[in-house]
PDB file of all heavy atoms in Angstrom:
ATOM      1  N   GLU F 205     -33.662  60.348  24.920  1.00 96.00           N
ATOM      2  CA  GLU F 205     -34.490  60.022  26.089  1.00 96.00           C
ATOM      3  C   GLU F 205     -34.047  60.713  27.323  1.00 96.00           C
ATOM      4  O   GLU F 205     -32.846  60.573  27.791  1.00 96.00           O
ATOM      5  CB  GLU F 205     -34.344  58.499  26.308  1.00 96.00           C
ATOM      6  CG  GLU F 205     -35.222  57.989  27.495  1.00 96.00           C
ATOM      7  CD  GLU F 205     -34.959  56.502  27.824  1.00 96.00           C
ATOM      8  OE1 GLU F 205     -34.146  55.893  26.999  1.00 96.00           O
ATOM      9  OE2 GLU F 205     -35.426  56.051  28.778  1.00 96.00           O
ATOM     10  N   PRO F 206     -34.934  61.588  27.870  1.00 96.00           N
ATOM     11  CA  PRO F 206     -34.546  62.212  29.145  1.00 96.00           C
ATOM     12  C   PRO F 206     -34.394  61.242  30.259  1.00 96.00           C
ATOM     13  O   PRO F 206     -35.235  60.267  30.359  1.00 96.00           O
ATOM     14  CB  PRO F 206     -35.771  63.164  29.441  1.00 96.00           C
ATOM     15  CG  PRO F 206     -36.544  63.200  28.110  1.00 96.00           C
ATOM     16  CD  PRO F 206     -36.281  61.895  27.455  1.00 96.00           C
ATOM     17  N   LEU F 207     -33.429  61.439  31.166  1.00 95.00           N
ATOM     18  CA  LEU F 207     -33.235  60.564  32.264  1.00 95.00           C
ATOM     19  C   LEU F 207     -33.476  61.421  33.538  1.00 95.00           C
ATOM     20  O   LEU F 207     -32.838  62.475  33.715  1.00 95.00           O
ATOM     21  CB  LEU F 207     -31.789  60.001  32.275  1.00 95.00           C
ATOM     22  CG  LEU F 207     -31.386  59.110  31.112  1.00 95.00           C
ATOM     23  CD1 LEU F 207     -29.859  58.789  31.216  1.00 95.00           C
ATOM     24  CD2 LEU F 207     -32.277  57.862  31.026  1.00 95.00           C
ATOM     25  N   THR F 208     -34.216  60.888  34.447  1.00 88.00           N
ATOM     26  CA  THR F 208     -34.522  61.637  35.636  1.00 88.00           C
ATOM     27  C   THR F 208     -34.251  60.817  36.885  1.00 88.00           C
ATOM     28  O   THR F 208     -34.148  61.416  38.029  1.00 88.00           O
ATOM     29  CB  THR F 208     -36.040  62.034  35.715  1.00 88.00           C
ATOM     30  OG1 THR F 208     -36.859  60.835  35.510  1.00 88.00           O
ATOM     31  CG2 THR F 208     -36.357  62.982  34.525  1.00 88.00           C
ATOM     32  N   ASP F 209     -34.102  59.530  36.832  1.00 92.00           N
ATOM     33  CA  ASP F 209     -33.931  58.635  37.982  1.00 92.00           C
ATOM     34  C   ASP F 209     -32.847  57.646  37.708  1.00 92.00           C
ATOM     35  O   ASP F 209     -32.748  56.940  36.736  1.00 92.00           O
ATOM     36  CB  ASP F 209     -35.318  57.913  38.272  1.00 92.00           C
ATOM     37  CG  ASP F 209     -35.296  57.092  39.547  1.00 92.00           C
ATOM     38  OD1 ASP F 209     -34.149  56.926  40.162  1.00 92.00           O
ATOM     39  OD2 ASP F 209     -36.294  56.529  39.883  1.00 92.00           O
ATOM     40  N   ALA F 210     -31.892  57.576  38.651  1.00 94.00           N
ATOM     41  CA  ALA F 210     -30.740  56.696  38.520  1.00 94.00           C
ATOM     42  C   ALA F 210     -31.197  55.171  38.342  1.00 94.00           C
ATOM     43  O   ALA F 210     -30.562  54.383  37.713  1.00 94.00           O
ATOM     44  CB  ALA F 210     -29.788  56.840  39.773  1.00 94.00           C
ATOM     45  N   ALA F 211     -32.306  54.868  39.003  1.00 92.00           N
ATOM     46  CA  ALA F 211     -32.833  53.499  38.869  1.00 92.00           C
ATOM     47  C   ALA F 211     -33.201  53.061  37.465  1.00 92.00           C
ATOM     48  O   ALA F 211     -33.249  51.866  37.144  1.00 92.00           O
ATOM     49  CB  ALA F 211     -34.088  53.360  39.763  1.00 92.00           C
ATOM     50  N   GLN F 212     -33.445  54.011  36.608  1.00 91.00           N
ATOM     51  CA  GLN F 212     -33.742  53.733  35.180  1.00 91.00           C
ATOM     52  C   GLN F 212     -32.505  52.942  34.523  1.00 91.00           C
ATOM     53  O   GLN F 212     -32.844  52.175  33.526  1.00 91.00           O
ATOM     54  CB  GLN F 212     -33.960  55.030  34.368  1.00 91.00           C
ATOM     55  CG  GLN F 212     -35.210  55.854  34.688  1.00 91.00           C
ATOM     56  CD  GLN F 212     -35.263  57.138  33.927  1.00 91.00           C
ATOM     57  OE1 GLN F 212     -34.895  58.173  34.437  1.00 91.00           O
ATOM     58  NE2 GLN F 212     -35.726  57.053  32.743  1.00 91.00           N
ATOM     59  N   LEU F 213     -31.404  53.177  34.957  1.00 94.00           N
ATOM     60  CA  LEU F 213     -30.172  52.574  34.394  1.00 94.00           C
ATOM     61  C   LEU F 213     -29.790  51.214  34.950  1.00 94.00           C
ATOM     62  O   LEU F 213     -28.954  50.512  34.390  1.00 94.00           O
ATOM     63  CB  LEU F 213     -29.044  53.588  34.482  1.00 94.00           C
ATOM     64  CG  LEU F 213     -29.261  54.886  33.849  1.00 94.00           C
ATOM     65  CD1 LEU F 213     -28.077  55.873  34.069  1.00 94.00           C
ATOM     66  CD2 LEU F 213     -29.637  54.875  32.374  1.00 94.00           C
ATOM     67  N   THR F 214     -30.338  50.909  36.051  1.00 94.00           N
ATOM     68  CA  THR F 214     -29.889  49.659  36.790  1.00 94.00           C
ATOM     69  C   THR F 214     -30.076  48.407  35.930  1.00 94.00           C
ATOM     70  O   THR F 214     -29.132  47.625  35.932  1.00 94.00           O
ATOM     71  CB  THR F 214     -30.653  49.529  38.150  1.00 94.00           C
ATOM     72  OG1 THR F 214     -30.311  50.651  38.935  1.00 94.00           O
ATOM     73  CG2 THR F 214     -30.208  48.289  38.876  1.00 94.00           C
ATOM     74  N   PRO F 215     -31.187  48.205  35.301  1.00 93.00           N
ATOM     75  CA  PRO F 215     -31.340  46.939  34.535  1.00 93.00           C
ATOM     76  C   PRO F 215     -30.287  46.816  33.388  1.00 93.00           C
ATOM     77  O   PRO F 215     -29.787  45.707  33.176  1.00 93.00           O
ATOM     78  CB  PRO F 215     -32.724  47.085  33.861  1.00 93.00           C
ATOM     79  CG  PRO F 215     -33.529  47.984  34.810  1.00 93.00           C
ATOM     80  CD  PRO F 215     -32.493  48.943  35.267  1.00 93.00           C
ATOM     81  N   MET F 216     -29.948  47.897  32.732  1.00 93.00           N
ATOM     82  CA  MET F 216     -28.907  47.824  31.688  1.00 93.00           C
ATOM     83  C   MET F 216     -27.573  47.572  32.310  1.00 93.00           C
ATOM     84  O   MET F 216     -26.815  46.687  31.781  1.00 93.00           O
ATOM     85  CB  MET F 216     -28.836  49.149  30.873  1.00 93.00           C
ATOM     86  CG  MET F 216     -30.105  49.407  30.144  1.00 93.00           C
ATOM     87  SD  MET F 216     -31.074  50.716  30.865  1.00 93.00           S
ATOM     88  CE  MET F 216     -30.239  52.170  30.026  1.00 93.00           C
ATOM     89  N   LEU F 217     -27.178  48.188  33.374  1.00 93.00           N
ATOM     90  CA  LEU F 217     -25.940  47.928  34.041  1.00 93.00           C
ATOM     91  C   LEU F 217     -25.804  46.532  34.534  1.00 93.00           C
ATOM     92  O   LEU F 217     -24.767  45.891  34.330  1.00 93.00           O
ATOM     93  CB  LEU F 217     -25.711  48.843  35.223  1.00 93.00           C
ATOM     94  CG  LEU F 217     -25.474  50.333  34.826  1.00 93.00           C
ATOM     95  CD1 LEU F 217     -25.637  51.248  36.028  1.00 93.00           C
ATOM     96  CD2 LEU F 217     -23.999  50.480  34.268  1.00 93.00           C
ATOM     97  N   GLU F 218     -26.897  45.944  35.092  1.00 91.00           N
ATOM     98  CA  GLU F 218     -26.859  44.540  35.536  1.00 91.00           C
ATOM     99  C   GLU F 218     -26.725  43.580  34.374  1.00 91.00           C
ATOM    100  O   GLU F 218     -26.011  42.557  34.428  1.00 91.00           O
ATOM    101  CB  GLU F 218     -28.179  44.191  36.326  1.00 91.00           C
ATOM    102  CG  GLU F 218     -28.245  44.977  37.674  1.00 91.00           C
ATOM    103  CD  GLU F 218     -29.500  44.622  38.410  1.00 91.00           C
ATOM    104  OE1 GLU F 218     -30.409  44.092  37.833  1.00 91.00           O
ATOM    105  OE2 GLU F 218     -29.524  44.993  39.622  1.00 91.00           O
TER     106      GLU F 218
END
Side-chain angles (χ1 to χ4, degrees):
E205 180 186 354
L207 299 175
T208 56
D209 185 355
Q212 291 175 265
L213 304 176
T214 299
M216 295 107 86
L217 287 165
E218 289 180 347

